[in-house]
Amino acid sequence: MSDYCGTGADPAPAPTSSPVDGPPFAECVLCRKPTEYPESHKGKTLCPVCEWQEAQRTACSG
């Protein structure tokens, strides 16, 4: 049986460079990796991994 709220293995490392033909991407406020949001995005920007982990924490918090 798996532990849905636990932290599993470390996520796969993100690419070290952003796409050449895309806009500059904002950094994740938790891990500082590139996000899917442009630098001009307002509010809390999270990378896909941190966004998923944040959703898991709020879902398991009751």
Side-chain angles (χ1 to χ4, degrees), residues 10-58:
D10 290 338
T16 56
S17 62
S18 61
V20 175
D21 57 350
F25 293 99
E27 287 184 342
C28 176
V29 296
L30 299 177
C31 69
R32 303 186 53 85
K33 292 182 182 176
T35 66
E36 297 174 341
Y37 303 104
E39 285 183 343
S40 62
H41 181 76
K42 301 285 185 196
K44 185 176 175 183
T45 55
L46 298 173
C47 71
V49 173
C50 290
E51 195 169 323
W52 181 83
Q53 290 175 343
E54 183 75 16
Q56 290 297 312
R57 281 192 288 272
T58 58

